[in-house]
Amino acid sequence: MTEELERTTRINYLYDFYHSLLTEKQRAYVELYYLEDYTFSEIAETLNVTRQAVYDNLKRTKDLLEDYETNLELYHDFIKRQQYYQQIKEYAQDGNVSKINDVINELETLEEE
């Protein structure tokens, strides 16, 4: 996966987790740029603002999403859960019940945090 695609995917996940903490205006910018794939010019025209305003708002909102993640770690925990589920699948295929129980215990610990 390219670096730009990884960044976009991360922002999309962060948006999924934290969109309710954003203002309506911030949500509009992120949705148009990251979800609808609008260009800065198209967003500027749609929202009747300058391209610089689009850039500034997207940058601030992206930084805000990263701040939320730093403090709340919902995306981080989501990724950890996905890794644990993958381990369970692998251990189930191998018939390694003790390893499955270990991973389940780790999942339970994550849920308690």
Side-chain angles (χ1 to χ4, degrees):
M1 195 179 313
T2 68
E3 189 174 317
E4 181 64 29
L5 183 56
E6 287 176 7
R7 273 196 302 264
T8 298
T9 300
R10 178 178 174 83
I11 295 300
N12 283 325
Y13 273 112
L14 294 179
Y15 180 76
D16 285 346
F17 286 114
Y18 304 116
H19 71 275
S20 62
L21 301 175
L22 300 175
T23 66
E24 189 173 319
K25 179 179 166 184
Q26 291 168 326
R27 285 193 302 269
Y29 281 96
V30 172
E31 288 173 8
L32 290 172
Y33 188 72
Y34 288 101
L35 303 178
E36 301 295 330
D37 204 27
Y38 279 37
T39 64
F40 284 3
S41 296
E42 291 170 326
I43 297 169
E45 186 177 317
T46 300
L47 300 179
N48 199 26
V49 296
T50 65
R51 289 180 78 244
Q52 186 63 44
V54 172
Y55 173 82
D56 291 343
N57 276 291
L58 280 170
K59 172 130 179 44
R60 278 194 306 270
T61 303
K62 187 183 96 162
D63 291 345
L64 185 60
L65 289 169
E66 291 292 352
D67 286 344
Y68 289 145
E69 175 58 16
T70 298
N71 291 311
L72 301 172
E73 296 187 331
L74 296 178
Y75 178 63
H76 174 264
D77 290 348
F78 169 77
I79 294 299
K80 284 179 78 172
R81 278 187 207 92
Q82 295 302 311
Q83 292 168 344
Y84 289 144
Y85 294 138
Q86 186 60 38
Q87 286 178 346
I88 289 171
K89 287 179 188 177
E90 290 171 10
Y91 295 145
Q93 288 176 346
D94 296 340
N96 195 336
V97 176
S98 67
K99 289 282 189 181
I100 292 173
N101 288 330
D102 291 344
V103 174
I104 290 171
N105 289 334
E106 290 177 34
L107 269 168
E108 289 172 345
T109 301
L110 179 64
E111 296 302 323
E112 292 171 359
E113 293 177 351

